[in-house]
Amino acid sequence: MTEPRGPGRAGRYVRQQTGYAAYIPAALPPRPPIDLATLAPILSAADQAIGRLDGVSRTLPNPDLFVAMYVRREAVLSSQIEGTQSSLDDVLAYELDAGATRLPLDVEEVFNHVAAMNYGLERLATLPLSLRLIREIHERLMAGVRGAEKSPGEFRRSQNWIGPPGATLQDASFVPPPPREMLESLGNLELFLHEPGRLPALVHAGVAHAQFETIHPFLDGNGRVGRLLITFLLVHGGVIGRPLLYLSHYLKRHRTEYYDRLTSIRQDGDWEGWIAFFLQGVAATAEEATRTAAAILELRERDREAVGALGASAFRLLDLLYDRPLVNVNSVATALNVSWPTADKLIRRFEDQGILQEITGQRRNRVFRYGPYLALFQDAEGTMDPRATGAATDA
């Protein structure tokens, strides 16, 4: 007998002894199976967009530098969804001088996100995507920052809930499964991570992300870990050769619809609506990254032509700026293995060409910014969806 679509397909609310209702997710894969035929056009569009991104990324002289900037940008945007104020420039300034006094206090949260992403990508080479790896990533994400007192690297042993500030279990907008049922759901999720069945890799990643957010296994940091999980799944599944696809920008722009789609899974069993939204995000994000890669190539050729008469050291400095778009004289001298006066002279030449801009206004301890390059990574959507403010998505 075919199971019906609708309420109960993705799980059910169960009244607990103390009166609140917690959501117990159904086991994966979804039953009845996701209707892939209705999703075929948007799945094809997403696959093609990823193919174009993979193609243009192969033309970059050093794609790993492109990856490093995207990891930083994703860390900033994913953390901003959870209320941090730090910018991409703040993260770069922290890397240049962690002791700087004018940096936002929450910049370490973003820096942790970069470290957690890089750690996870490295570990995927030796450790399958598993609950163990998810805990390790969470531990690095939460170490020494806001939420560090909430058991980093450990699945919760108490009930959590989602809602506006001050919300209780009784009036929460969503209550994930209690700890015992949570562990059962996590066990099923791990099996699904290893055995997606007949689901295409992109659909598999979308289902896994939504289920993780429904389980909400940590006391804090669930939203950030769930978004990291998407990238790990796409890399692990061979969808993308390099980690260049990050959805936080898209989810930030469409934050209200993101929450509504997750709610529709839980209340109406609408996996197809969620997957269509997810695939649209994949396609849009891949297209954006493709345009950025092409713009980087154009910028690099223009700037190499501008500094061509300055010698080999100028090309080395330009290559350095694609990894460290914020520099000072000491960092350039160290990276290029040249004297301080030589580094200072080289930076001045780059200033004359309009490639570097001094941003402190000081005569000492000056910092220089590769503005044209950083402009390619700036978040054009500088505001959050006002209807979504106050939602404790990461708790």
Side-chain angles (χ1 to χ4, degrees), residues 278-298:
F278 178 81
L279 293 175
Q280 288 166 0
V282 168
T285 302
E287 289 166 359
E288 177 191 34
T290 298
R291 290 191 296 269
T292 301
I296 288 173
L297 279 173
E298 182 179 345

Side-chain angles (χ1 to χ4, degrees), residues 44-231:
S44 176
D47 283 334
Q48 291 176 27
I50 289 175
R52 288 190 291 271
L53 172 60
D54 187 59
V56 73
S57 68
R58 293 177 186 274
T59 66
L60 292 170
N62 190 342
D64 290 337
L65 301 185
F66 187 30
V67 170
M69 283 302 298
Y70 258 90
V71 168
R72 292 165 175 142
R73 179 176 183 261
E74 167 67 8
V76 168
L77 293 171
S78 187
S79 299
Q80 284 179 353
I81 291 175
E82 311 307 337
T84 65
Q85 302 300 313
S86 293
S87 66
L88 182 57
D89 277 80
D90 294 328
V91 173
L92 295 169
Y94 184 84
E95 293 177 357
L96 184 63
D97 180 8
T101 57
R102 295 186 179 181
L103 295 174
L105 294 176
D106 57 24
V107 69
E108 291 188 18
E109 294 185 35
V110 185
F111 194 74
N112 274 13
H113 196 291
V114 174
M117 171 69 81
N118 288 330
Y119 175 82
L121 293 171
E122 291 171 4
R123 289 287 276 161
L124 279 177
T126 58
L127 182 71
L129 190 53
S130 60
L131 298 183
R132 173 186 170 185
L133 180 54
I134 289 172
R135 290 198 307 271
E136 291 180 4
I137 292 164
H138 182 262
E139 183 177 16
R140 282 153 182 80
L141 183 72
M142 306 302 295
V145 297
R146 179 183 53 168
E149 75 284 358
K150 296 182 178 179
S151 305
E154 299 293 335
F155 294 131
R156 58 182 168 85
R157 297 183 178 87
S158 59
Q159 184 66 70
N160 59 353
W161 62 93
I162 298 173
T168 67
L169 267 172
Q170 307 302 325
D171 55 11
S173 56
F174 178 70
V175 181
R180 183 174 66 83
E181 290 84 350
M182 175 202 74
L183 291 175
E184 293 175 1
S185 295
L186 282 172
N188 170 256
L189 175 61
E190 186 171 49
L191 289 175
F192 181 71
L193 293 177
H194 297 158
E195 299 179 10
R198 298 181 179 180
L199 289 178
L202 284 176
V203 177
H204 175 239
V207 171
H209 170 77
Q211 189 81 336
F212 179 87
E213 294 304 324
T214 293
I215 297 170
H216 239 61
F218 297 111
L219 291 176
D220 197 7
N222 292 287
R224 283 167 285 176
V225 173
R227 289 186 287 277
L228 286 169
L229 182 61
I230 295 172
T231 301

Side-chain angles (χ1 to χ4, degrees), residues 314-328:
F315 289 137
R316 291 172 60 204
L317 174 55
L318 192 59
D319 287 342
L320 174 67
L321 292 175
Y322 284 96
D323 182 35
R324 307 179 201 172
L326 238 59
V327 295
N328 55 28

